[in-house]
Amino acid sequence: MKTWILAGTLGICALLANAQTLPDSQTVVIPGGRMQTIELPAHRHFMSAQEFSPFRGGYELSNGQVLYLRNASSIGAIMYARIDNQEEHRIVASSSDSFVALDRQLAMRIDLRDNGSVGGEVLMVVPAEKLASGDIVPAHVQSMSLAAR
């Protein structure tokens, strides 16, 4: 009896291990998909102040907050981002339309469209908080889309 239970358990474990590792031909990569994590880029994308200029300003987020982008130099783009009146974060370009805060608290992709509309998304680290009930909500990354400009 013990042999049958052991054999069944090993068989189930083998099936689960096989299900977790798919060959490359069976995996799907969705280009242009949603951002999932806040990571510093392996290679920064150099962006001049002139290239950054169209991104400067405020962007309303889907949760009602506003993302503000500015730069502090006319020579090279020393760029900053903040949400509402929160702390400002120095950002670097990870591509021609994506930015990451050096402290890994914000990441954003901003699609400036030819018709003047704006799309994209923002990832923001939300710190842990203690609720009135005593429960603790752990720190997590919140994703928000850009609502308008």
Side-chain angles (χ1 to χ4, degrees), residues 44-114:
R44 295 180 187 174
H45 176 80
F46 175 78
M47 185 171 282
S48 69
Q50 184 177 3
E51 289 173 300
F52 182 69
S53 180
F55 294 100
R56 289 188 316 217
Y59 299 87
E60 186 177 340
L61 302 176
S62 58
N63 69 352
Q65 293 180 302
V66 178
L67 168 70
Y68 296 98
L69 299 179
R70 72 173 187 91
N71 64 315
S73 174
S74 60
I75 300 170
I78 299 175
M79 305 168 291
Y80 295 92
R82 69 178 165 86
I83 294 180
D84 286 342
N85 293 324
Q86 297 176 14
E87 177 183 341
E88 198 168 55
H89 305 271
R90 178 142 183 224
I91 59 174
V92 295
S94 55
S95 71
S96 62
D97 65 354
S98 298
F99 307 90
V100 178
L102 291 174
D103 61 6
R104 296 178 49 202
Q105 298 298 300
L106 285 173
M108 62 222 70
R109 180 180 49 79
I110 301 173
D111 302 324
L112 302 175
R113 300 181 183 129
D114 292 338

Side-chain angles (χ1 to χ4, degrees), residues 18-37:
N18 187 34
Q20 291 178 356
T21 55
L22 295 173
D24 288 339
S25 63
Q26 294 180 7
T27 59
V28 177
V29 176
I30 301 171
R34 295 181 59 87
M35 297 186 306
Q36 300 294 320
T37 60

Side-chain angles (χ1 to χ4, degrees), residues 2-16:
K2 291 180 184 178
T3 306
W4 286 105
I5 293 172
L6 181 60
T9 304
L10 289 174
I12 290 172
C13 289
L15 286 173
L16 291 174

